[in-house]
Amino acid sequence: MDDCIFCRIARKELPAHIVFENEHVVAFLDIQPSAKGHTLVIPRAHSASILEAECDDMREVCKVVQHITPAILSSLGAQGFNLTVNTGAVAGQVIFHTHWHILPRFEGDGKKMWPHTAYAPGEIEKIAEGIRSHLG
Ligand code: AMP
Ligand code: ZN
């Protein structure tokens, strides 16, 4: 993809603070971090989202997440992290090259990722059945 920003970072046509790279994957710091050390991990191969990405590439991304996250946390003194994949504009995806966010979390940082809600009586059964029936 000639004009994809993340493909261009992977090809070193655009600058980035790369913290790790190998044959399949590149990991670099997010330029507008939600927390210090916020890191993006991408497969080199272009895909618009995780639903179109090759499973082999996702396995390589996962391996890199497991490899680099302890270093991200220990270097920043973070106690945990969120691993997120925004998919679709409605979910906040703005770069349409598959990427995983590693968001370091710090004691008392006050971030609340997901507000919880509740199902009406009988609703959870209907939703589960709807999903199963769409699987075919
Ligand atoms: P998303 O909203 O999941 O598509 O996330 C895209 C992320 O890419 C955002 O958090 C941006 O701050 C980040 N971003 C955009 N351009 C760059 C860039 N050139 N280098 C590093 N991070 C970037
Ligand atoms: Zn791309």
Side-chain angles (χ1 to χ4, degrees):
M1 289 286 286
D2 289 349
D3 56 350
C4 169
I5 290 176
F6 286 0
C7 282
R8 296 190 67 199
I9 286 175
R11 291 196 300 264
K12 307 273 172 65
E13 293 170 7
L14 289 176
H17 294 278
I18 293 174
V19 296
F20 181 86
E21 62 183 317
N22 65 20
E23 189 187 344
H24 304 286
V25 177
V26 183
F28 52 96
L29 296 182
D30 193 298
I31 40 164
Q32 290 189 298
S34 289
K36 305 291 183 209
H38 181 168
T39 300
L40 303 174
V41 187
I42 67 167
R44 286 188 185 277
H46 181 87
S47 55
S49 86
I50 193 167
L51 295 182
E52 291 94 43
E54 293 291 339
C55 286
D56 284 351
D57 276 334
M58 293 299 87
R59 186 167 56 240
E60 295 300 325
V61 166
C62 187
K63 278 158 61 176
V64 170
V65 167
Q66 290 185 325
H67 177 56
I68 69 174
T69 302
I72 294 169
L73 302 192
S74 63
S75 66
L76 287 149
Q79 291 82 39
F81 67 102
N82 293 106
L83 183 63
T84 63
V85 182
N86 301 327
T87 304
V90 73
Q93 184 178 9
V94 296
I95 304 283
F96 287 83
H97 178 127
T98 303
H99 56 281
W100 297 15
H101 295 254
I102 301 170
L103 180 63
R105 297 299 304 271
F106 301 86
E107 208 63 56
D109 66 18
K111 287 190 168 65
K112 292 246 186 258
M113 302 296 280
W114 311 114
H116 290 275
T117 63
Y119 285 115
E123 196 181 7
I124 195 167
E125 291 83 358
K126 280 191 194 141
I127 288 175
E129 182 46 35
I131 294 169
R132 286 191 294 265
S133 69
H134 276 75
L135 285 171

